[in-house]
Amino acid sequence: DVKVTQSSRYLVKRTGEKVFLECVQDMDHENMFWYRQDPGLGLRLIYFSYDVKMKEKGDIPEGYSVSREKKERFSLILESASTNQTSMYLCASSLALIFKTRQTNTGELFFGEGSRLTVL
Amino acid sequence: GNSVTQMEGPVTLSEEAFLTINCTYTATGYPSLFWYVQYPGEGLQLLLKATKADDKGSNKGFEATYRKETTSFHLEKGSVQVSDSAVYFCAPRGGGSYIPTFGRGTSLIVHP
């Protein structure tokens, strides 16, 4: 069974702490994503990665960084946590889109169960 | 860029009622269209998808038809159950990008 695993379901941190959220997928997917989910705002893309050591900013990258040293692992880092980063964080992965044969895959995302972070 | 508009919730229904959740989108090229569902306390999972015009995606009694002329992908179910209570997200992916655009989600609450 395919799986995206997020290391922590619930975390409570203090303002100014450095926070690591880890995500591992076992599907050999090229693409990995970090979203945050807030009531009334839906899902917002923080960062994504289309290959090892590659990363691209999403819609709301400020205050976050990411690391992808291995294909299966994508980490989200909050260098100095703030209360406005209290949220649900969702990791996802997908196959690469092959542009020459764009029907190769439909781009379905596979999500982890989420990490609910509270910053006090 | 792509955008998607979903009807706002919550949608509250009695068991066995008919469900429609509207979704319209803008996208370049020929997007693939997805509905994801999020059950309480869980991440999102794919509910159904359609990859070209007039395709109908279906799963678990839910259906949605890819309407290119109206750029819509409305989700329907003929008879909802309490277990369908969840948040539903419409998500087109198009323009050569592998990144879908998510709607804000529609919460569905089904009462016995």
Side-chain angles (χ1 to χ4, degrees):
Chain A
D1 199 16
V2 296
K3 204 157 185 180
V4 178
T5 303
Q6 294 184 230
S7 55
S8 304
R9 291 296 304 273
Y10 301 95
L11 301 95
V12 180
K13 299 292 182 181
R14 298 213 173 267
T15 301
E17 279 192 78
K18 191 169 186 175
V19 181
F20 291 88
L21 299 178
E22 305 285 346
C23 175
V24 177
Q25 51 97 1
D26 64 0
M27 295 167 281
D28 201 34
H29 284 170
E30 290 81 6
N31 303 326
M32 297 188 75
F33 308 82
W34 275 106
Y35 291 87
R36 64 176 283 177
Q37 182 179 17
D38 300 288
L41 298 177
L43 270 69
R44 292 181 291 168
L45 182 64
I46 305 171
Y47 267 97
F48 63 96
S49 169
Y50 53 89
D51 202 351
V52 176
K53 297 191 185 295
M54 306 303 289
K55 59 185 179 183
E56 294 286 341
K57 293 180 180 179
D59 300 317
I60 52 163
E62 296 79 18
Y64 303 95
S65 62
V66 291
S67 172
R68 187 135 182 235
E69 296 297 317
K70 294 185 178 181
K71 189 176 185 180
E72 67 271 19
R73 187 179 297 269
F74 192 36
S75 304
L76 180 70
I77 304 153
L78 288 67
E79 294 288 343
S80 178
S82 62
T83 55
N84 63 12
Q85 292 178 309
T86 291
S87 186
M88 169 71 89
Y89 290 88
L90 294 170
C91 176
S93 70
S94 74
L95 284 168
L97 177 68
I98 309 299
F99 287 94
K100 288 185 176 179
T101 55
R102 61 181 175 83
Q103 299 300 326
T104 298
N105 79 79
T106 57
E108 173 187 352
L109 264 61
F110 294 84
F111 284 85
E113 292 191 320
S115 298
R116 184 166 292 283
L117 172 66
T118 302
V119 183
L120 302 175
Chain B
N2 300 340
S3 67
V4 56
T5 302
Q6 270 183 252
M7 60 189 294
E8 293 205 15
V11 174
T12 304
L13 296 172
S14 297
E15 206 164 23
E16 299 184 3
F18 184 85
L19 168 71
T20 299
I21 300 178
N22 291 335
C23 170
T24 56
Y25 65 90
T26 59
T28 55
Y30 300 93
S32 296
L33 304 175
F34 303 84
W35 277 100
Y36 288 84
V37 59
Q38 184 180 34
Y39 297 105
E42 298 183 12
L44 280 70
Q45 58 185 272
L46 181 69
L47 179 60
L48 53 83
K49 62 187 177 188
T51 58
K52 60 184 189 294
D54 300 324
D55 269 2
K56 178 183 284 187
S58 61
N59 186 27
K60 300 182 180 180
F62 291 88
E63 293 183 338
T65 300
Y66 190 142
R67 301 288 187 199
K68 193 170 189 297
E69 64 279 7
T70 55
T71 61
S72 64
F73 193 52
H74 304 322
L75 183 68
E76 296 181 335
K77 187 173 185 181
S79 176
V80 294
Q81 306 300 313
V82 173
S83 56
D84 294 327
S85 298
V87 181
Y88 293 82
F89 293 89
C90 182
R93 183 192 62 77
S97 169
Y98 49 75
I99 303 171
T101 299
F102 284 90
R104 294 194 172 189
T106 302
S107 175
L108 170 66
I109 302 168
V110 181
H111 293 294

